Amino acid sequence: MKKRILVTGGAGFLGSHLCKRLLSEGHDIICADNFFTGAKENIASLLNNPYFELLRHDVTFPLYVEVDEIYNLACPASPVHYQFDPVQTTKTSVVGAVNMLGLAKRTKAKILQASTSEVYGDPEVHPQPESYRGAVNPIGIRACYDEGKRCAETLFFDYYRQHNVNIKVMRIFNTYGPNMNPNDGRVVSNFIVQALKDVDITMFGDGKQTRSFCYVDDLIDGMIKLMNSRDGFTGPVNIGNPVEFSMLELAELIIKLTGSQSKLVFQPLPQDDPLQRQPIIELAKKELDWEPRIKLEEGLIKTIEYFKGIIHA
């Protein structure tokens, strides 16, 4: 059945992949983006599709459209971008959630919130289950994003309880792939860009801190499966790859795959930067029949090819 679907942040890294997938499944897509971190290049190939509509819109203002489903992805997600204007970051998460939940309430649309593993902060429990409540510094430099996303989850569950809005909440762990912004300061894009340019690779801390990396196609599979999951299953549900890698292991693999001459340089760890981040995904396996399938090396090869295209273009 063809559905009318709104994707906020639809020109961003994840949003552009989601728009492409939903269009390929035969749906009618409205992509809303204010282009703070999104890019028209990410969706240029979709603009001639009669079932794709692009709106330049900021979710901190109400949006009046008629839709069946809403994927709320609007928010800068990398520290470089969300710390650039922290007040606006918090407003995007909180006021944006209010506006999109209000739209869902009016249209009786199902709504999915792209939340984040950042709600766990610098975790004292490892790996992280959905029941863990987190260890977040509410006045730190990352709080605009961490606490903004935590408040958005609060709003989603209050609209669910108070107004019976049909909600889905996913907590996204580190994701990578084509359409990443080369200047977003994230570890995968940083390392790949530096390796391709044969410049020193910046390693924060001692490089022993760990992350779990999910390829974007796997992540989008999980997102759509959550949206289509049984009524009454709200989440929150972790979507990410449970295989853990240290930053040193990641850098060495990228140097090998790019044939780079880059050397590692070590710098102090930024404030409140988590030392570990790894999802427990048993709930996603049970409720969504989902788990990631693309191994890190395979995903990195595809991502490196994308970055070669934009760096040498």
Side-chain angles (χ1 to χ4, degrees):
M1 185 183 82
K2 184 186 282 287
K3 291 180 284 196
R4 194 136 197 255
I5 301 174
L6 169 65
V7 179
T8 72
F13 165 44
L14 296 180
S16 57
H17 283 276
L18 178 62
C19 287
K20 285 174 190 169
R21 180 74 65 85
L22 293 171
L23 275 173
S24 74
E25 293 179 0
H27 300 300
D28 195 347
I29 307 304
I30 300 172
C31 165
D33 206 297
N34 69 349
F35 295 102
F36 174 58
T37 56
K40 279 197 178 162
E41 291 81 2
N42 290 342
I43 50 163
S45 63
L46 310 180
L47 292 173
N48 291 329
N49 189 314
Y51 296 106
F52 181 79
E53 185 179 347
L54 174 61
L55 299 178
R56 183 182 286 268
H57 183 82
D58 187 320
V59 293
T60 60
F61 297 92
L63 181 58
Y64 301 101
V65 290
E66 304 304 315
V67 289
D68 304 306
E69 291 179 354
I70 303 164
Y71 288 84
N72 187 36
L73 275 59
C75 190
S78 72
V80 168
H81 292 135
Y82 68 62
Q83 289 169 17
F84 174 77
D85 188 346
V87 172
Q88 185 63 24
T89 295
T90 304
K91 287 170 70 176
T92 300
S93 285
V94 178
V95 181
V98 170
N99 286 332
M100 291 307 112
L101 285 160
L103 176 61
K105 179 186 166 192
R106 180 180 69 77
T107 59
K108 296 182 169 50
K110 195 189 306 185
I111 181 167
L112 181 145
Q113 168 68 359
S115 191
T116 170
S117 61
E118 296 289 341
V119 299
Y120 300 124
D122 190 1
E124 293 157 349
V125 171
H126 187 75
Q128 294 81 54
E130 289 87 353
S131 57
Y132 176 54
R133 294 180 181 178
V136 175
N137 175 3
I139 58 170
I141 59 172
R142 299 172 74 101
C144 57
Y145 184 69
D146 301 5
E147 295 288 26
K149 289 288 193 178
R150 284 164 69 95
C151 185
E153 286 196 16
T154 303
L155 285 161
F156 265 69
F157 278 89
D158 284 338
Y159 266 79
Y160 168 67
R161 287 184 286 255
Q162 189 174 336
H163 300 300
N164 205 29
V165 172
N166 190 350
I167 66 163
K168 308 285 180 181
V169 176
M170 70 183 293
R171 291 176 176 163
I172 298 171
F173 282 70
N174 289 59
T175 307
Y176 69 100
N179 293 6
M180 288 184 89
N181 185 321
N183 303 311
D184 66 7
R186 295 191 210 197
V187 64
V188 172
S189 46
N190 265 8
F191 286 4
I192 291 176
V193 169
Q194 290 169 335
L196 288 174
K197 292 181 175 178
D198 282 324
V199 298
D200 289 342
I201 288 180
T202 311
M203 182 73 63
F204 292 103
D206 59 8
K208 291 178 184 170
Q209 67 270 37
T210 63
R211 294 291 185 274
S212 310
F213 299 101
C214 185
Y215 188 66
V216 63
D217 290 356
D218 281 336
L219 189 282
I220 298 300
D221 282 341
M223 190 179 283
I224 292 172
K225 283 189 168 187
L226 176 57
M227 180 63 97
N228 295 332
S229 62
R230 63 179 173 85
D231 282 353
F233 178 66
T234 59
V237 58
N238 290 338
I239 300 288
N241 194 319
V243 181
E244 200 175 13
F245 290 89
S246 73
M247 298 298 95
L248 283 171
E249 288 173 312
L250 177 69
E252 285 160 4
L253 181 56
I254 287 171
I255 287 170
K256 184 185 96 174
L257 293 175
T258 54
S260 176
Q261 303 299 308
S262 296
K263 302 283 186 287
L264 302 183
V265 293
F266 293 84
Q267 294 188 0
L269 204 60
Q271 181 191 337
D272 298 329
D273 197 50
L275 295 177
Q276 296 175 306
R277 195 55 72 61
Q278 181 187 15
I280 291 175
I281 62 167
E282 297 313 305
L283 185 61
K285 287 181 184 176
K286 174 174 172 282
E287 286 287 346
L288 310 179
D289 188 29
W290 177 87
E291 60 183 308
R293 309 196 180 287
I294 297 171
K295 291 187 168 51
L296 182 62
E297 184 161 339
E298 180 188 348
L300 283 176
I301 289 168
K302 295 177 181 181
T303 309
I304 288 164
E305 282 307 305
Y306 167 75
F307 276 107
K308 279 181 181 172
I310 60 172
I311 285 172
H312 303 309

